[in-house]
Structures are given as C-alpha cells and as structure tokens.
Amino acid sequence: GRLQQSQKQVRIFPEIWRELKRRNVNFRWTIHGDGPEKDFLREQLKEGVNAGEVSFSVPVPYDELKNIIGQHDIYLLTSAHEGGPLTLLEAMAQGLVPVCGDIPCIVQDAVNSKNGIRVPFDDPTAYADAIATLACDRQRTDDLSAEAVRTAETDHSEIALAQRYLDFLADTQPELASPAWPDKIVPKPIVAASPLKFHPLVRPLRRLAKRLKPRA
C-alpha cells in the first residue's frame, strides 16, 4: 500500500520490528508499496534488510501480487484511519491472518477473535505480542487462517457486499426499493438497437431528425 504516515502510520514499523527482535521471533517481513516514507523505512530497517528479515517488494503487475501475498502467514494493518481497505479482504482470502489496529472501519466488521487479532492501533508492543503469539502456535494460526478465508469469501464476497448496499437503500429510502418508470417512458435495451444507429455518419442525421420532430 501507500507508505505514508498520516493515514497509514508506517513509522510504527521499525518499532514493531525492534519489539519482535526483543522477543526473538523468527520472521520475514515483506513491505510492499511505495510512498514518501520509503526512504525513512529503508534507513530505519537497514539492519533487518541486511539480516534478511525485512524486504521491500518492487512494484509488480496486479495479477502477480497474489503470489507475493500467498507466501506469507500474517497481514499487518497499522493505519490510523481507514474506510474499507480492500487489501485486508484480499489478504484474508489468501489465508493470511490479519493483525490489525482496532480502528472504526471494516476492520471491526470483518476481523474478530475467530479469524484474526485486533490491537490498539498505536501500540507497537501489542502488534509484536500478537505476531509472537501466532509464531508460537501454528495450530491457532492455521485455524484463524481457515476462518479468515471463509469470512472473506462468504461474509464479504462481492454478492454479500452488494446486498448490504441494497439493504441499506431499502431501509433508508424505501421508495427506491421498487423503482417504476413513468408511463410515458418506455426504456429499451441498447442491444436492441441497430449498430448503424450509432454510426458516426448516421448520428448527424439522427440529431437533425430529432430537431425537426414536432413537439407536443
């Protein structure tokens, strides 16, 4: 994602890395993204990079990102504020266990004790404790991973999210639940029209005919 401080709070990364080192956690951390804090992170995490513990992923085509995500066990979200981070659901769908700051957004709707861990968003020790706990308990990690996949594919699928929008509209604006066209308007599907009707040479004639058409 964006390596930016005000929203993403990425300057907490070196603090989490130091806390993981104090706990002797064996880990490999991939930071995928770009932004104004990248140079800061590279400098602060230089020791981790040299030790092979931290790597910065270069930009890749979107369809290749799935392979990078799938090589990991944990998805870390330290943002100070978010709306609906798509990367969270994408990671959960790949089986990564989310360790997220407990902020008001989709995190509180999607992440719970059965599929991940929520911690105070500004506490590096809490993130490190959560990661260390998962590192020491492979069975729990696997159980959370399986539930993360189920949550992403069932509770937050495209169909499920679309249905929530429809339910919201039905609750707040019931008049939109069953829209009806006025009698004088008869909508026709575009596929029913001849392609010639939209040909560049025909379009001026169609506009002229519309201007000459008598008005009621």
Side-chain angles (χ1 to χ4, degrees), residues 196-208:
L196 291 176
K197 184 175 181 181
F198 300 96
H199 192 281
L201 297 179
V202 177
R203 190 174 299 152
L205 297 176
R206 190 175 70 249
R207 291 176 178 171
L208 179 60

Side-chain angles (χ1 to χ4, degrees), residues 117-191:
I117 302 177
R118 299 193 330 228
V119 301
F121 78 95
D122 57 353
D123 185 353
T125 61
Y127 288 106
D129 285 342
I131 295 171
T133 297
L134 295 173
C136 295
D137 191 342
R138 188 71 225 186
Q139 185 59 55
R140 184 187 179 193
T141 301
D142 290 344
D143 291 343
L144 293 174
S145 171
E147 182 61 20
V149 173
R150 190 208 64 78
T151 299
E153 293 184 347
T154 303
D155 299 345
H156 293 271
S157 66
E158 293 178 351
I159 297 298
L161 295 177
Q163 186 60 51
R164 287 175 191 170
Y165 280 117
L166 293 175
D167 293 342
F168 172 77
L169 291 174
D171 290 341
T172 58
Q173 302 184 62
E175 69 277 7
L176 299 180
S178 299
W181 289 97
D183 293 339
K184 64 180 180 180
I185 298 179
V186 182
K188 296 180 180 179
I190 294 178
V191 293

Side-chain angles (χ1 to χ4, degrees), residues 65-109:
L65 187 57
K66 180 179 178 180
N67 294 330
I68 294 177
I69 295 174
Q71 296 173 12
H72 297 76
D73 297 305
I74 295 171
Y75 168 81
L76 182 66
L77 181 69
T78 62
S79 297
H81 56 89
E82 285 281 0
L86 182 59
T87 54
L88 168 63
L89 297 178
E90 290 175 333
M92 292 175 70
Q94 291 294 311
L96 276 67
V97 177
V99 174
C100 302
D102 195 6
I103 57 176
C105 71
I106 198 173
V107 167
Q108 294 183 339
D109 184 43

